[in-house]
Amino acid sequence: MRGCLTEGGGREVVSQASQGAQPRNASGRPGSQGLRQAVAVILMWRGRIGLFKRSESVQHDAGLWHCITGYLDADSDPVRQAIQEIWEETLLPARALEQLTAGPTLRLADPRGGPDWTVHTFLARTSQRRLTLNWEHKAYRWVWPWKLSQFDGQVAWLTDVLQAVDSLPSAKARGRAAS
């Protein structure tokens, strides 16, 4: 399998090429100077998307529904950082991940007017339903993709990340699920 890495437990971590040309930094990874970098992981269990409600203890987006995220230092590997963020925020070890697929790298404007963000997107699948949250979140829900719109108060760019990793349902999929 092209771009396949193996993490603990023999699970496969698959890297897919980003859509379109992305700026590269000195290490050859997507990104450019002056941009802030983050990883964003859509965690799925049995076809449901994990939504995480940010706690009041976080600096940004408190009380909003979000995915797993974390800052990425310029010299850090996005795959390793994604695995680290999953562990920190849910206590899911790498061996509990059935799949971790890199999606496109997004360049997103900061809603507060700061420098743009380079966001390395990932889709992770797990067979473990129960999670243990850290201080960053106060709740989580496993949500069918076609029911995401029922969750008011989502972080502004959550839809961008969901679209990037192709987690939003098509009209055809919604129709099949309703029957």
Side-chain angles (χ1 to χ4, degrees):
M1 186 179 317
R2 195 174 132 202
C4 181
L5 305 172
T6 302
E7 291 294 325
R11 305 290 185 189
E12 292 180 328
V13 179
V14 181
S15 176
Q16 295 178 338
S18 296
Q19 298 172 352
Q22 299 293 327
R24 302 271 171 188
N25 61 21
S27 67
R29 288 194 299 270
S32 67
Q33 296 195 4
L35 297 177
R36 296 177 292 176
Q37 294 194 62
V39 296
V41 182
I42 301 299
L43 186 61
M44 295 191 77
W45 168 75
R46 294 187 179 178
R48 296 171 182 94
I49 294 171
L51 287 184
F52 299 84
K53 191 159 199 164
R54 306 274 288 162
S55 76
E56 303 304 320
S57 302
V58 295
Q59 291 181 8
H60 301 292
D61 302 322
L64 299 180
W65 292 100
H66 206 357
C67 58
I68 302 291
T69 59
Y71 295 107
L72 180 67
D73 293 328
D75 59 346
S76 297
D77 175 55
V79 172
R80 291 191 194 288
Q81 190 64 40
I83 292 168
Q84 179 66 30
E85 294 299 332
I86 293 167
W87 164 252
E88 287 176 5
E89 296 183 27
T90 68
L91 285 185
L92 279 178
R95 69 179 178 275
L97 300 178
E98 297 172 335
Q99 173 189 356
L100 178 63
T101 305
T105 300
L106 305 175
R107 183 173 175 164
L108 301 173
D110 185 315
R112 292 173 286 282
D116 288 350
W117 287 92
T118 297
V119 180
H120 303 270
T121 63
F122 294 88
L123 176 65
R125 296 184 193 279
T126 184
S127 60
Q128 190 168 320
R129 179 179 183 217
R130 296 193 187 274
L131 306 174
T132 302
L133 300 178
N134 72 356
W135 62 272
E136 294 179 57
H137 304 287
K138 60 183 178 182
Y140 73 94
R141 300 288 182 270
W142 294 112
V143 181
W144 290 110
W146 56 89
K147 292 190 174 188
L148 287 169
S149 62
Q150 296 175 6
F151 282 77
D152 290 333
Q154 296 179 17
V155 170
W157 48 273
L158 179 59
T159 300
D160 295 319
V161 176
L162 288 162
Q163 288 174 336
V165 299
D166 201 26
S167 291
L168 291 176
S170 66
K172 185 184 257 186
R174 282 193 301 269
R176 278 195 309 264
S179 11

Short mmCIF file of all heavy atoms in Angstrom, two decimals, residues 44-78:
data_model
loop_
_atom_site.label_atom_id
_atom_site.label_comp_id
_atom_site.label_asym_id
_atom_site.label_seq_id
_atom_site.Cartn_x
_atom_site.Cartn_y
_atom_site.Cartn_z
N MET A 44 -13.70 8.45 14.29
CA MET A 44 -14.94 7.75 13.97
C MET A 44 -15.01 6.40 14.68
O MET A 44 -13.99 5.74 14.87
CB MET A 44 -15.07 7.54 12.46
CG MET A 44 -15.21 8.86 11.71
SD MET A 44 -15.66 8.64 9.99
CE MET A 44 -17.40 8.28 10.16
N TRP A 45 -16.24 6.04 15.05
CA TRP A 45 -16.53 4.74 15.65
C TRP A 45 -17.80 4.22 14.99
O TRP A 45 -18.84 4.88 15.03
CB TRP A 45 -16.74 4.89 17.16
CG TRP A 45 -17.31 3.69 17.82
CD1 TRP A 45 -16.66 2.52 18.10
CD2 TRP A 45 -18.65 3.53 18.28
NE1 TRP A 45 -17.53 1.64 18.71
CE2 TRP A 45 -18.76 2.24 18.82
CE3 TRP A 45 -19.77 4.34 18.26
CZ2 TRP A 45 -19.94 1.75 19.35
CZ3 TRP A 45 -20.96 3.85 18.80
CH2 TRP A 45 -21.03 2.57 19.34
N ARG A 46 -17.72 3.07 14.34
CA ARG A 46 -18.86 2.42 13.69
C ARG A 46 -19.67 3.39 12.82
O ARG A 46 -20.90 3.41 12.88
CB ARG A 46 -19.76 1.76 14.72
CG ARG A 46 -19.10 0.60 15.44
CD ARG A 46 -20.09 -0.10 16.31
NE ARG A 46 -19.44 -1.24 16.96
CZ ARG A 46 -20.05 -2.02 17.81
NH1 ARG A 46 -21.31 -1.81 18.13
NH2 ARG A 46 -19.41 -3.01 18.36
N GLY A 47 -18.98 4.18 12.02
CA GLY A 47 -19.65 5.09 11.10
C GLY A 47 -20.09 6.41 11.70
O GLY A 47 -20.60 7.27 11.00
N ARG A 48 -19.91 6.55 13.01
CA ARG A 48 -20.29 7.79 13.69
C ARG A 48 -19.06 8.66 13.90
O ARG A 48 -17.97 8.16 14.14
CB ARG A 48 -20.94 7.48 15.03
CG ARG A 48 -22.24 6.72 14.91
CD ARG A 48 -22.71 6.26 16.29
NE ARG A 48 -23.93 5.49 16.23
CZ ARG A 48 -23.99 4.17 16.17
NH1 ARG A 48 -22.89 3.45 16.13
NH2 ARG A 48 -25.15 3.56 16.15
N ILE A 49 -19.29 9.97 13.87
CA ILE A 49 -18.22 10.95 14.05
C ILE A 49 -18.20 11.39 15.51
O ILE A 49 -19.24 11.70 16.09
CB ILE A 49 -18.44 12.15 13.12
CG1 ILE A 49 -18.30 11.68 11.67
CG2 ILE A 49 -17.48 13.28 13.44
CD1 ILE A 49 -18.70 12.72 10.65
N GLY A 50 -17.01 11.44 16.08
CA GLY A 50 -16.86 11.94 17.44
C GLY A 50 -16.87 13.46 17.46
O GLY A 50 -16.04 14.08 16.80
N LEU A 51 -17.81 14.04 18.18
CA LEU A 51 -17.82 15.48 18.43
C LEU A 51 -17.43 15.69 19.88
O LEU A 51 -17.90 14.98 20.78
CB LEU A 51 -19.20 16.09 18.18
CG LEU A 51 -19.65 16.22 16.74
CD1 LEU A 51 -21.00 16.95 16.68
CD2 LEU A 51 -18.63 16.95 15.89
N PHE A 52 -16.59 16.68 20.12
CA PHE A 52 -16.04 16.93 21.44
C PHE A 52 -16.38 18.36 21.86
O PHE A 52 -16.04 19.30 21.15
CB PHE A 52 -14.52 16.71 21.43
CG PHE A 52 -14.17 15.30 21.08
CD1 PHE A 52 -14.07 14.90 19.75
CD2 PHE A 52 -13.97 14.36 22.07
CE1 PHE A 52 -13.78 13.59 19.41
CE2 PHE A 52 -13.67 13.05 21.74
CZ PHE A 52 -13.57 12.66 20.41
N LYS A 53 -17.05 18.51 23.01
CA LYS A 53 -17.44 19.83 23.49
C LYS A 53 -16.29 20.40 24.32
O LYS A 53 -15.90 19.84 25.34
CB LYS A 53 -18.71 19.76 24.32
CG LYS A 53 -19.27 21.12 24.61
CD LYS A 53 -20.72 21.04 24.96
CE LYS A 53 -21.35 22.40 24.78
NZ LYS A 53 -22.78 22.32 24.74
N ARG A 54 -15.79 21.54 23.85
CA ARG A 54 -14.65 22.19 24.50
C ARG A 54 -15.04 22.67 25.90
O ARG A 54 -16.11 23.21 26.11
CB ARG A 54 -14.19 23.37 23.66
CG ARG A 54 -13.88 23.03 22.21
CD ARG A 54 -12.50 22.55 21.98
NE ARG A 54 -11.58 23.66 22.12
CZ ARG A 54 -10.29 23.52 22.32
NH1 ARG A 54 -9.76 22.33 22.39
NH2 ARG A 54 -9.51 24.56 22.44
N SER A 55 -14.15 22.46 26.86
CA SER A 55 -14.42 22.87 28.23
C SER A 55 -14.19 24.37 28.39
O SER A 55 -13.63 25.03 27.51
CB SER A 55 -13.51 22.10 29.20
OG SER A 55 -12.20 22.62 29.17
N GLU A 56 -14.60 24.88 29.52
CA GLU A 56 -14.41 26.30 29.82
C GLU A 56 -12.95 26.59 30.17
O GLU A 56 -12.57 27.75 30.28
CB GLU A 56 -15.33 26.72 30.98
CG GLU A 56 -16.81 26.46 30.71
CD GLU A 56 -17.33 27.11 29.43
OE1 GLU A 56 -16.96 28.25 29.13
OE2 GLU A 56 -18.13 26.46 28.73
N SER A 57 -12.12 25.57 30.34
CA SER A 57 -10.72 25.73 30.70
C SER A 57 -9.81 26.06 29.52
O SER A 57 -8.66 26.42 29.71
CB SER A 57 -10.20 24.46 31.37
OG SER A 57 -10.96 24.17 32.52
N VAL A 58 -10.32 25.91 28.30
CA VAL A 58 -9.48 26.17 27.12
C VAL A 58 -9.55 27.65 26.75
O VAL A 58 -10.52 28.34 27.06
CB VAL A 58 -9.90 25.29 25.92
CG1 VAL A 58 -9.66 23.83 26.20
CG2 VAL A 58 -11.34 25.53 25.53
N GLN A 59 -8.51 28.11 26.08
CA GLN A 59 -8.43 29.53 25.72
C GLN A 59 -9.34 29.88 24.56
O GLN A 59 -9.85 30.99 24.49
CB GLN A 59 -7.00 29.90 25.35
CG GLN A 59 -6.05 29.88 26.52
CD GLN A 59 -4.64 30.28 26.11
OE1 GLN A 59 -4.41 30.70 24.98
NE2 GLN A 59 -3.70 30.12 27.01
N HIS A 60 -9.53 28.97 23.62
CA HIS A 60 -10.30 29.28 22.42
C HIS A 60 -11.46 28.30 22.25
O HIS A 60 -11.33 27.12 22.55
CB HIS A 60 -9.40 29.20 21.17
CG HIS A 60 -8.25 30.13 21.21
ND1 HIS A 60 -8.39 31.49 21.15
CD2 HIS A 60 -6.93 29.91 21.33
CE1 HIS A 60 -7.20 32.07 21.22
NE2 HIS A 60 -6.30 31.13 21.34
N ASP A 61 -12.57 28.82 21.79
CA ASP A 61 -13.73 28.00 21.40
C ASP A 61 -14.36 27.23 22.56
O ASP A 61 -14.94 26.17 22.35
CB ASP A 61 -13.35 27.04 20.26
CG ASP A 61 -12.82 27.77 19.04
OD1 ASP A 61 -13.35 28.86 18.73
OD2 ASP A 61 -11.89 27.26 18.40
N ALA A 62 -14.27 27.76 23.78
CA ALA A 62 -14.89 27.10 24.93
C ALA A 62 -16.38 26.92 24.68
O ALA A 62 -17.05 27.81 24.16
CB ALA A 62 -14.65 27.92 26.20
N GLY A 63 -16.88 25.75 25.03
CA GLY A 63 -18.30 25.45 24.91
C GLY A 63 -18.75 25.03 23.53
O GLY A 63 -19.93 24.72 23.33
N LEU A 64 -17.85 25.02 22.55
CA LEU A 64 -18.21 24.65 21.18
C LEU A 64 -17.85 23.20 20.89
O LEU A 64 -16.93 22.64 21.48
CB LEU A 64 -17.50 25.58 20.19
CG LEU A 64 -17.83 27.07 20.29
CD1 LEU A 64 -17.06 27.86 19.25
CD2 LEU A 64 -19.32 27.32 20.17
N TRP A 65 -18.57 22.61 19.94
CA TRP A 65 -18.29 21.24 19.49
C TRP A 65 -17.15 21.28 18.48
O TRP A 65 -17.09 22.15 17.62
CB TRP A 65 -19.53 20.62 18.85
CG TRP A 65 -20.61 20.36 19.84
CD1 TRP A 65 -21.72 21.12 20.05
CD2 TRP A 65 -20.70 19.27 20.75
NE1 TRP A 65 -22.50 20.57 21.05
CE2 TRP A 65 -21.89 19.43 21.50
CE3 TRP A 65 -19.89 18.17 21.02
CZ2 TRP A 65 -22.28 18.53 22.49
CZ3 TRP A 65 -20.28 17.28 22.00
CH2 TRP A 65 -21.46 17.45 22.73
N HIS A 66 -16.25 20.33 18.60
CA HIS A 66 -15.03 20.34 17.80
C HIS A 66 -14.57 18.90 17.56
O HIS A 66 -15.15 17.95 18.06
CB HIS A 66 -13.96 21.10 18.57
CG HIS A 66 -12.90 21.73 17.74
ND1 HIS A 66 -12.79 21.61 16.38
CD2 HIS A 66 -11.84 22.51 18.11
CE1 HIS A 66 -11.74 22.30 15.95
NE2 HIS A 66 -11.15 22.84 16.99
N CYS A 67 -13.48 18.77 16.82
CA CYS A 67 -12.81 17.48 16.64
C CYS A 67 -11.57 17.49 17.53
O CYS A 67 -11.37 18.40 18.32
CB CYS A 67 -12.45 17.27 15.16
SG CYS A 67 -11.39 18.54 14.43
N ILE A 68 -10.75 16.47 17.41
CA ILE A 68 -9.48 16.41 18.15
C ILE A 68 -8.50 17.34 17.45
O ILE A 68 -8.30 17.23 16.24
CB ILE A 68 -8.92 14.97 18.14
CG1 ILE A 68 -9.91 13.97 18.74
CG2 ILE A 68 -7.56 14.90 18.83
CD1 ILE A 68 -10.14 14.10 20.20
N THR A 69 -7.89 18.25 18.19
CA THR A 69 -6.96 19.19 17.58
C THR A 69 -5.75 19.41 18.48
O THR A 69 -5.79 19.10 19.68
CB THR A 69 -7.61 20.57 17.34
OG1 THR A 69 -8.06 21.09 18.59
CG2 THR A 69 -8.76 20.48 16.37
N GLY A 70 -4.73 19.97 17.88
CA GLY A 70 -3.55 20.34 18.66
C GLY A 70 -2.59 21.15 17.82
O GLY A 70 -2.56 21.04 16.60
N TYR A 71 -1.83 21.97 18.50
CA TYR A 71 -0.80 22.77 17.84
C TYR A 71 0.30 21.86 17.32
O TYR A 71 0.59 20.81 17.88
CB TYR A 71 -0.19 23.78 18.81
CG TYR A 71 -1.17 24.82 19.28
CD1 TYR A 71 -1.69 24.79 20.57
CD2 TYR A 71 -1.58 25.84 18.43
CE1 TYR A 71 -2.59 25.74 21.00
CE2 TYR A 71 -2.49 26.79 18.85
CZ TYR A 71 -2.99 26.74 20.13
OH TYR A 71 -3.89 27.69 20.55
N LEU A 72 0.94 22.30 16.26
CA LEU A 72 2.05 21.55 15.65
C LEU A 72 3.25 22.47 15.56
O LEU A 72 3.19 23.52 14.91
CB LEU A 72 1.64 21.07 14.25
CG LEU A 72 2.67 20.27 13.47
CD1 LEU A 72 2.93 18.93 14.15
CD2 LEU A 72 2.20 20.05 12.05
N ASP A 73 4.32 22.10 16.25
CA ASP A 73 5.56 22.87 16.13
C ASP A 73 6.14 22.68 14.74
O ASP A 73 5.90 21.65 14.09
CB ASP A 73 6.58 22.40 17.17
CG ASP A 73 6.15 22.73 18.59
OD1 ASP A 73 5.48 23.76 18.79
OD2 ASP A 73 6.50 21.95 19.50
N ALA A 74 6.90 23.66 14.28
CA ALA A 74 7.44 23.65 12.91
C ALA A 74 8.26 22.39 12.63
O ALA A 74 8.27 21.90 11.51
CB ALA A 74 8.29 24.89 12.67
N ASP A 75 8.94 21.85 13.63
CA ASP A 75 9.80 20.69 13.40
C ASP A 75 9.13 19.36 13.76
O ASP A 75 9.76 18.32 13.78
CB ASP A 75 11.11 20.83 14.18
CG ASP A 75 10.89 20.96 15.68
OD1 ASP A 75 9.74 21.21 16.10
OD2 ASP A 75 11.87 20.83 16.43
N SER A 76 7.83 19.39 14.04
CA SER A 76 7.11 18.18 14.44
C SER A 76 6.51 17.46 13.23
O SER A 76 6.18 18.08 12.23
CB SER A 76 5.98 18.52 15.41
OG SER A 76 6.51 19.06 16.59
N ASP A 77 6.32 16.15 13.38
CA ASP A 77 5.71 15.33 12.35
C ASP A 77 4.19 15.33 12.57
O ASP A 77 3.73 14.97 13.66
CB ASP A 77 6.26 13.91 12.44
CG ASP A 77 5.57 12.97 11.47
OD1 ASP A 77 5.55 13.27 10.26
OD2 ASP A 77 5.04 11.94 11.93
N PRO A 78 3.39 15.73 11.57
CA PRO A 78 1.94 15.78 11.76
C PRO A 78 1.31 14.45 12.17
O PRO A 78 0.39 14.43 12.99
CB PRO A 78 1.42 16.24 10.39
CG PRO A 78 2.56 16.97 9.78
CD PRO A 78 3.80 16.26 10.27
#
